[in-house]
Amino acid sequence: GLTVEVTGAEGRRTKYQEKATAQYLVKARSKSAKANESTLEGSEGKDERSGNDATKDKDKEQIKSQMIEHDDENILLERVKFVEDEENRHYALSELDLSILLALCLDVKN
């Protein structure tokens, strides 16, 4: 099962921001993937895809070329830094859970 909660939390978006302001937050957690949790500063998940090393290297190069570089000169943080440590925790979701979450976003009407 997938648990989704749309809420808000206080956080900062820039390096030099002193006052935390309200930030939009979507908490999504899969009940089947409790072992895959990681924090913002945590380690990256293992790549469990099947295939040869050349394909994986090509995929990694393509992803790296599309990534936005964050350096010391950039004022914006890569991710919002929330005041509460619990809000900074990120959980790995399966492809099915990600699809469900995307479908829920597309279902929103004004």
Side-chain angles (χ1 to χ4, degrees):
L2 178 66
T3 305
V4 178
E5 179 184 359
V6 178
T7 185
E10 288 189 339
R12 296 177 180 85
R13 287 188 175 267
T14 66
K15 281 197 257 185
Y16 306 110
Q17 186 176 350
E18 294 179 9
K19 183 181 176 187
T21 57
Q23 307 291 326
Y24 189 73
L25 177 65
V26 177
K27 295 181 183 180
R29 186 169 184 180
S30 178
K31 293 180 182 175
S32 62
K34 290 183 181 179
N36 290 335
E37 69 182 56
S38 65
T39 60
L40 182 61
E41 294 83 21
S43 61
E44 296 180 6
K46 294 181 181 177
D47 188 5
E48 297 180 2
R49 294 180 293 159
S50 61
N52 60 23
D53 291 335
T55 304
K56 289 180 184 178
D57 290 340
K58 183 179 176 184
D59 290 345
K60 286 181 183 179
E61 288 177 20
Q62 184 179 7
I63 291 171
K64 188 173 182 177
S65 69
Q66 295 173 354
M67 288 180 61
I68 298 172
E69 296 292 329
H70 291 275
D71 53 14
D72 292 336
E73 295 177 7
N74 197 349
I75 295 174
L76 286 177
L77 296 174
E78 188 171 347
R79 294 182 179 171
V80 176
K81 176 69 177 161
F82 293 103
V83 175
E84 297 289 327
D85 286 335
E86 178 62 31
E87 308 301 337
N88 289 313
R89 185 163 291 177
H90 296 251
Y91 298 97
L93 299 174
S94 68
E95 291 174 0
L96 177 62
D97 291 335
L98 291 171
S99 300
I100 293 170
L101 188 59
L102 180 59
L104 290 172
C105 293
L106 295 173
D107 190 44
V108 173
K109 296 190 185 346
N110 291 334

